[in-house]
Amino acid sequence: MIARGGSWEQLKRRTDGVVRMVYIEDWDQFQAAARALFESDPVRTRYAFKYRAKRGELVLKVTDNRECVMFKTDQRADLKKFETLTAWMVENMATAAPDES
């Protein structure tokens, strides 16, 4: 499923409790969705990225096992955006307090 139109909230409502991996094509939508996912459950949210050398692609993935958003790019100009989001995620993941159960 590739997000082409609508907002992240509209896409989220369509999942009906089923985990779906959604590629979001717009960086700003992906960044907003990734941050919202992290802020909704900081302890369970994971952030991963993979560089596919043969294709020259960078794939970013944020998931909490209920929702999953992904972004794929082959543009060098997107690397600075990637670095900014990674720094934000690392900073916030390092300071997130674990659940006190």
Side-chain angles (χ1 to χ4, degrees), residues 78-98:
D78 290 334
L79 289 178
K80 186 65 177 170
K81 297 174 187 175
F82 160 70
E83 289 175 4
T84 303
L85 179 63
T86 300
W88 185 88
M89 293 292 266
V90 168
E91 178 182 342
N92 285 285
M93 287 180 168
T95 59

Side-chain angles (χ1 to χ4, degrees), residues 34-80:
R35 288 182 180 208
L37 199 56
F38 176 78
E39 289 168 353
S40 70
D41 193 356
V43 174
R44 295 185 183 192
T45 302
R46 294 186 316 276
Y47 174 63
F49 56 90
K50 180 186 335 183
Y51 179 70
R52 296 178 177 161
K54 284 188 176 184
R55 297 182 194 168
E57 287 180 335
L58 178 65
V59 179
L60 310 165
K61 176 180 173 181
V62 180
T63 184
D64 67 355
N65 291 338
R66 293 183 305 252
E67 299 169 27
C68 179
V69 293
M70 298 174 74
F71 181 80
K72 178 172 40 175
T73 185
D74 59 359
Q75 303 297 312
R76 291 180 67 81
D78 290 334
L79 289 178
K80 186 65 177 170

Side-chain angles (χ1 to χ4, degrees), residues 11-27:
L11 289 170
K12 206 163 93 171
R13 280 196 292 270
R14 292 182 203 157
T15 61
D16 300 324
V18 177
V19 176
R20 292 196 178 120
M21 292 190 287
V22 178
Y23 274 101
I24 298 178
E25 292 180 339
D26 180 64
W27 174 261

Side-chain angles (χ1 to χ4, degrees), residues 2-5 10 21 32 39 53 96:
I2 296 179
R4 291 217 163 96
Q10 290 170 333
M21 292 190 287
E39 289 168 353

